[in-house]
C-alpha cells in the first residue's frame, strides 16, 4: 500500500487538495470520512480525478489520505485534533468531488453530508448519517442508506436496497436495456415512497414505510402477487386483483400472478397505478 500526500493550496478560509490516480475499468472507489458531502461523476478515461475542498475555522484539524492500489482508490478523511471542541463538524465544510471511469464500483461512507452519484455501471454501497442520497441511472447492485434524508434513484438494473430513517424514497426500475430486475427493498421510517416499475419483475419486491404514503406505478402487463396493506389509510388499485379486497387491504393475483409485490404503511394511503405508456417512463 502506498500512501500519497497530495499537494494543496492554502488560503485564510480554505484549502484544496487535488490529484489524479490511475484506474482500471471495473475497479473501485472507497471513501470513508468523518464529515463531508460526496459528489461522484464519470468520464471515459482510465483515471480517478480528485478534488477535495476543506473550508472553515477548523480546516487544519481535518486530514485526507489517498491510498491507491491496483487500479482502485481508497480515501480516508478524519479528525486529527482530539482537543477540538465538540462542535468541530459545524466549523467545517468539506466537499469530495471525484471523477471515476464510467465502469467502476463505489463504496461511500460519510458521517455528515449528502451523497450524489451520476449514471454509472457498477455496484454502489452508499451511507450517510446526516444527508440525502441521489443516484442516477445505475447498471449494478445498489445499497443506499441514510439516517436523516431523502433517497432519489434513477433507473436501476440490479438488486436494490434503499433505507432512510427520516425522509422519502423515489426510484425507477429498471432501464429499457435491462430485461430482468433483481430484488428490491425500500424502507423508510418517516416519509413516503414512490416507485416506478418499468418492466416485469422477476424477483420479490417490497416497499414499506412507518409514516407516509406509498405510490407504485406498474406496467399494464405486469404479473405479480400483490399484498398491499395500511394501518391508517386506504388502498386503491387501477388493476383488477383476483383475491381479497377491502378498504385497508388488497391481496391477490394481478394478470395471473408472479413474484410477490409487498406494500405496507402504518400511517398513509397506498396507490397502485397502471401506467398509460411504459415508454414514457424511460
Amino acid at each position: 500500500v502506498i500512501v500519497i500526500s497530495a499537494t494543496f493550496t492554502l488560503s485564510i478560509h480554505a484549502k484544496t487538495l487535488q490529484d489524479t490516480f490511475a484506474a482500471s475499468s471495473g475497479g473501485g472507489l472507497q471513501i470513508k470520512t468523518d464529515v463531508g458531502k460526496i459528489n461522484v461523476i464519470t468520464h471515459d478515461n482510465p483515471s480517478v480525478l480528485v478534488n477535495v475542498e476543506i473550508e472553515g475555522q477548523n480546516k487544519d484539524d481535518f486530514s485526507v489520505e489517498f491510498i491507491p492500489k491496483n487500479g482502485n482508490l481508497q480515501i480516508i478523511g478524519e479528525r486529527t485534533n482530539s482537543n477540538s471542541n465538540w462542535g468541530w463538524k459545524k466549523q467545517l465544510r468539506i466537499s469530495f468531488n471525484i471523477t471515476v471511469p464510467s465502469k467502476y464500483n463505489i463504496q461511500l461512507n460519510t458521517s455528515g453530508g449528502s451523497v450524489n452519484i451520476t449514471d454509472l455501471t457498477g455496484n454502489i454501497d452508499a451511507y450517510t448519517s446526516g444527508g440525502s442520497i441521489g443516484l442516477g441511472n445505475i447498471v449494478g447492485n445498489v445499497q443506499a442508506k441514510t439516517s436523516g434524508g431523502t433517497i432519489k434513484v434513477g433507473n436501476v438494473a440490479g438488486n436494490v436496497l434503499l433505507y432512510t430513517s427520516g425522509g422519502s424514497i423515489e426510484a425507477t426500475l429498471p432501464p429499457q436495456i435491462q430485461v430482468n430486475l433483481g430484488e428490491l427493498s425500500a424502507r423508510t421510517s418517516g416519509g413516503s415512497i414512490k416507485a416506478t416499475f418499468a418492466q416485469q419483475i422477476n424477483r420479490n419486491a417490497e416497499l414499506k414505510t412507518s409514516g407516509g404514503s406509498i405510490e407504485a406505478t406498474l406496467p399494464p402487463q405486469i404479473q405479480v402477487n400483490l399484498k398491499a396493506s395500511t394501518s391508517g389509510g386506504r388502498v386503491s388499485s387501477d388493476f383488477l386483483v383476483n383475491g381479497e379486497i377491502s378498504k385497508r387491504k388488497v391481496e391477490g393475483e394481478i394478470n395471473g400472478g408472479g413474484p410477490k409485490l409487498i406494500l405496507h404503511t402504518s400511517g398513509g394511503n397506498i396507490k397502485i397505478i397502471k401506467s398509460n405508456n411504459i415508454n414514457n417512463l424511460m
Side-chain angles (χ1 to χ4, degrees):
V1 175
I2 301 174
V3 178
I4 303 295
S5 178
T7 59
F8 58 85
T9 59
L10 283 173
S11 69
I12 294 176
H13 302 291
K15 65 179 179 181
T16 300
L17 290 76
Q18 294 179 321
D19 215 327
T20 301
F21 302 90
S24 58
S25 179
L29 168 71
Q30 181 185 45
I31 298 178
K32 183 175 176 59
T33 179
D34 289 336
V35 65
K37 63 180 180 180
I38 304 173
N39 300 304
V40 179
I41 62 174
T42 64
H43 63 179
D44 295 327
N45 300 322
S47 60
V48 176
L49 311 181
V50 178
N51 180 292
V52 184
E53 298 178 356
I54 306 173
E55 299 179 88
Q57 180 180 341
N58 299 116
K59 65 181 182 296
D60 294 327
D61 294 336
F62 189 83
S63 70
V64 180
E65 182 180 37
F66 303 142
I67 308 174
K69 184 178 181 181
N70 299 330
N72 305 308
L73 178 62
Q74 181 182 18
I75 301 176
I76 301 174
E78 58 185 353
R79 174 188 184 185
T80 57
N81 185 357
S82 60
N83 295 320
S84 296
N85 61 64
W86 288 103
W88 71 279
K89 289 184 180 180
K90 298 181 181 179
Q91 306 299 323
L92 286 171
R93 294 180 298 279
I94 301 173
S95 297
F96 294 83
N97 301 298
I98 315 295
T99 303
V100 301
S102 57
K103 294 183 179 180
Y104 217 59
N105 299 307
I106 306 293
Q107 184 177 351
L108 309 177
N109 187 315
T110 176
S111 297
S114 61
V115 172
N116 289 283
I117 303 173
T118 191
D119 298 356
L120 181 79
T121 296
N123 297 325
I124 293 176
D125 186 345
Y127 172 80
T128 174
S129 58
S132 61
I133 297 176
L135 306 179
N137 300 325
I138 308 299
V139 179
N141 298 326
V142 171
Q143 180 170 284
K145 297 182 180 181
T146 173
S147 299
T150 61
I151 299 177
K152 290 188 177 182
V153 184
N155 294 323
V156 178
N159 297 324
V160 182
L161 172 61
L162 309 175
Y163 176 78
T164 172
S165 298
S168 60
I169 296 175
E170 186 170 347
T172 301
L173 321 153
Q176 183 89 31
I177 59 173
Q178 187 73 16
V179 176
N180 296 322
L181 170 68
E183 297 179 6
L184 166 66
S185 177
R187 300 189 180 199
T188 173
S189 299
S192 60
I193 299 176
K194 289 185 178 182
T196 299
F197 295 80
Q199 296 174 359
Q200 172 67 39
I201 59 175
N202 70 334
R203 297 189 183 182
N204 298 338
E206 62 175 9
L207 310 176
K208 294 184 177 181
T209 174
S210 299
S213 61
I214 296 176
E215 185 177 294
T217 301
L218 314 176
Q221 71 277 13
I222 196 167
Q223 295 179 294
V224 294
N225 286 341
L226 176 67
K227 185 175 182 180
S229 60
T230 174
S231 302
R234 298 180 64 93
V235 178
S236 62
S237 173
D238 291 344
F239 291 85
L240 178 64
V241 179
N242 183 17
E244 179 184 351
I245 300 175
S246 65
K247 176 182 176 181
R248 294 186 176 178
K249 182 178 181 181
V250 175
E251 183 173 354
E253 298 177 348
I254 293 179
N255 293 328
K260 293 180 181 179
L261 175 58
I262 300 171
L263 314 175
H264 179 75
T265 174
S266 299
N269 297 324
I270 297 177
K271 293 182 180 180
I272 300 101
I273 300 170
K274 182 187 296 185
S275 60
N276 293 326
N277 187 349
I278 198 62
N279 291 325
N280 292 334
L281 301 175
M282 309 316 297

